[in-house]
Amino acid sequence: MKTSPNKSIERLSMYRRLLRESENEGTENVYSHDLADAAGCTAAQVRRDLMLVGCSGNPKTGYQVKGLINCICNLLDTPEGDSVALVGFGNLGKALLPFFAKHHKKLVITATFDSNPKKIGEISNGCECYSMESLKKVISEKNIKIAILTVPAEVAQEVAEQLIEANIQGILNFVPIPLQLKNNIIVENMHVEIALEKVAYLTRAANTITD
Amino acid sequence: MKTSPNKSIERLSMYRRLLRESENEGTENVYSHDLADAAGCTAAQVRRDLMLVGCSGNPKTGYQVKGLINCICNLLDTPEGDSVALVGFGNLGKALLPFFAKHHKKLVITATFDSNPKKIGEISNGCECYSMESLKKVISEKNIKIAILTVPAEVAQEVAEQLIEANIQGILNFVPIPLQLKNNIIVENMHVEIALEKVAYLTRAANTITD
DNA sequence: AGTATATTGTGATTTTTTTCACAGAAAGAA
DNA sequence: TTCTTTCTGTGAAAAAAATCACAATATACT
């Protein structure tokens, strides 16, 4: 398996979402420029990205929506699906849960964890909250490989290390610090504050540029 | 004003956070490789990024922490600071509020908006929740240029258009759809589901690659 | 059947981002 | 003072990502 460019993966995921909408509306075929318009990129880029999934279109009728969805699924999903742990069941964690509970068949949050004893046992969106002590056991039992990290910054590094210890291989990190981990662990950062600072900067820059 | 590379802005924001920590610990100087280790990138990259802020280091003693923070602030902040609107005061919106309320002096959420009448008037983290009807008025009065969008997907496009109508120039979008807006509007997407799919893909890819 | 048209698929090119690598410089030691 | 060390600053090279541009081709029309 060859790893596909990072950015392409993100766009493919977006295309799939858009294609599923089209499918629900009964659309059978799309052109690269349709997808491009919807996704906010160029048609050439869509076609390049689609080259990765090994599903080809027709010069006159474009791509088959169903076929394309399947091809993207083949690249992005495993047939069995993946279990995900949500670690840190505070406000942010609780708010994120429905994002996944809704749509996803292949990426399912199957356990949440928190250090607060009051939350243990709580069931939300169909999954139970476990204690941090049972982290390793539950993760192993449920064969979880991916975690979403939404704990307070002070304990994030320590918890991340526990996750590695429990054999987690990929982390979606919402904690605004860079985790220091062995680099065979996949870490994707969602730094909200940094993103907002970037918006502020770019907004200002867009107004100040004169060329 | 020349716009600096996107990625550099993100890293600069991260450096600043790390530098502030160092400052609190009483550290006066840092080397590029210190920052690199902390931020998870290379020393050469740190130095490249720092070239953008026009603050130079000393070949033997590295960079002055205080001076560096100031230089980064000059690039990222305005002296007066920016007001931010949080549009969609549901679970996610509420969870995000403390992220900013805590630290930021220069980026302050000064108003939240929601369509649910029950929420109007509610005060949280020092800012009031207004009705969607008063959006344009409040945003104009408070001179807000940036918005965080956390409304349900079904209404996101429509609300985004209202925001533009109200003169918002930059949007941090948490809604998992690509907004269709004039391209002089800055949109930064935080697509949680896509990010998780990417983690899942990369995790699998890292395990399957054999070369 | 032949022609026109609109789209795909992809080499080639350009742009952007990252990394390399080293001259120049500051501090401390001899 | 001179030497040594260890860093910075930055041109140059490499790698990654996006865009261009066009031959190949499927369909519809005449």
Side-chain angles (χ1 to χ4, degrees):
Chain A
M1 183 179 185
K2 176 83 177 58
T3 164
S4 307
N6 253 286
K7 291 289 184 66
S8 295
I9 294 298
E10 291 177 29
R11 282 191 301 265
L12 283 166
S13 170
M14 177 59 81
Y15 301 154
R16 177 167 66 173
R17 176 197 303 280
L18 296 167
L19 287 164
R20 281 177 173 154
E21 271 178 40
S22 298
E23 191 186 28
N24 287 338
E25 290 163 7
T27 309
E28 297 199 343
N29 297 284
V30 287
Y31 296 123
S32 56
H33 61 253
D34 296 330
L35 265 179
D37 289 349
C41 61
T42 67
Q45 188 149 58
V46 170
R47 295 201 299 275
R48 269 262 181 265
D49 290 335
L50 294 186
M51 281 174 74
L52 296 170
V53 303
C55 176
S56 61
N58 174 310
K60 204 61 191 181
T61 56
Y63 301 87
Q64 279 200 303
V65 173
K66 279 202 167 73
L68 211 43
I69 293 175
N70 279 337
C71 288
I72 298 179
C73 286
N74 283 342
L75 185 75
L76 296 185
D77 295 335
T78 51
E80 331 79 59
D82 284 306
S83 282
V84 179
L86 175 67
V87 184
F89 199 47
N91 289 330
L92 182 58
K94 281 184 184 164
L96 291 178
L97 208 44
F99 265 69
F100 302 98
K102 255 189 196 168
H103 308 290
H104 246 288
K105 291 190 185 62
K106 297 295 185 178
L107 276 179
V108 184
I109 298 181
T110 52
T112 65
F113 295 90
D114 204 285
S115 61
N116 181 344
K118 285 182 189 157
K119 291 181 183 163
I120 315 302
E122 194 177 315
I123 291 176
S124 185
N125 285 273
C127 69
E128 186 173 344
C129 185
Y130 298 93
S131 72
M132 290 304 291
E133 286 70 34
S134 59
L135 190 85
K136 196 166 178 178
K137 182 163 156 286
V138 175
I139 283 179
S140 155
E141 277 173 11
K142 297 191 179 244
N143 191 31
I144 298 175
K145 294 274 169 286
I146 300 164
I148 305 173
L149 192 62
T150 51
V151 298
E154 304 80 60
V155 297
Q157 177 64 32
E158 180 197 339
V159 171
E161 283 163 17
Q162 285 177 256
L163 289 172
I164 307 311
E165 184 66 24
N167 244 333
I168 288 290
Q169 288 162 20
I171 297 178
L172 180 59
N173 175 39
F174 279 86
V175 187
I177 62 165
L179 301 174
Q180 310 280 342
L181 301 171
K182 285 180 312 217
N183 53 9
N184 58 337
I185 307 293
I186 304 295
V187 179
E188 183 74 17
N189 292 307
M190 296 290 266
H191 291 327
V192 178
E193 213 177 316
I194 288 179
L196 189 63
E197 285 183 353
K198 191 172 155 194
V199 172
Y201 170 81
L202 292 174
T203 302
R204 202 171 331 122
N207 282 324
T208 332
I209 280 163
T210 22
D211 55 289
Chain B
M1 183 179 183
K2 176 81 177 55
T3 165
S4 307
N6 254 286
K7 292 289 184 66
S8 296
I9 294 299
E10 291 177 29
R11 282 189 301 264
L12 283 166
S13 171
M14 178 58 82
Y15 302 154
R16 176 167 67 174
R17 174 195 305 278
L18 296 167
L19 286 164
R20 281 177 173 154
E21 271 178 40
S22 298
E23 191 186 27
N24 287 339
E25 290 163 8
T27 312
E28 298 199 341
N29 297 285
V30 287
Y31 297 123
S32 57
H33 60 253
D34 296 330
L35 265 180
D37 290 349
C41 62
T42 67
Q45 189 151 58
V46 170
R47 294 201 299 275
R48 270 262 179 264
D49 290 335
L50 294 187
M51 282 175 74
L52 297 170
V53 303
C55 176
S56 60
N58 173 310
K60 204 60 191 182
T61 56
Y63 301 87
Q64 279 200 303
V65 172
K66 278 201 167 73
L68 211 43
I69 293 175
N70 279 337
C71 287
I72 298 178
C73 286
N74 283 342
L75 185 76
L76 296 185
D77 296 336
T78 51
E80 332 79 60
D82 284 307
S83 282
V84 179
L86 176 67
V87 183
F89 198 46
N91 289 332
L92 183 58
K94 281 183 185 164
L96 291 177
L97 207 44
F99 265 70
F100 302 98
K102 254 189 198 168
H103 308 290
H104 245 290
K105 290 188 185 64
K106 297 295 187 178
L107 276 179
V108 184
I109 299 181
T110 54
T112 66
F113 295 90
D114 204 285
S115 61
N116 181 344
K118 284 181 190 158
K119 291 181 184 162
I120 315 302
E122 193 176 317
I123 292 176
S124 185
N125 284 272
C127 69
E128 187 173 343
C129 185
Y130 298 93
S131 72
M132 291 304 291
E133 286 70 34
S134 59
L135 189 85
K136 197 166 179 178
K137 182 164 156 285
V138 175
I139 283 179
S140 153
E141 278 173 9
K142 296 190 180 247
N143 191 32
I144 297 175
K145 294 273 170 285
I146 300 164
I148 304 173
L149 192 61
T150 51
V151 299
E154 304 80 60
V155 297
Q157 178 63 33
E158 181 197 340
V159 171
E161 281 164 19
Q162 285 177 257
L163 289 172
I164 308 311
E165 184 66 25
N167 244 333
I168 288 290
Q169 288 162 18
I171 297 178
L172 180 58
N173 175 39
F174 279 85
V175 187
I177 61 166
L179 301 173
Q180 310 281 344
L181 300 171
K182 287 179 311 211
N183 53 9
N184 58 337
I185 307 293
I186 304 296
V187 179
E188 182 74 16
N189 292 308
M190 295 291 265
H191 291 326
V192 178
E193 213 177 315
I194 289 179
L196 190 64
E197 285 182 353
K198 191 172 155 194
V199 173
Y201 170 82
L202 292 174
T203 302
R204 202 169 332 122
N207 282 323
T208 331
I209 279 165
T210 21
D211 55 286

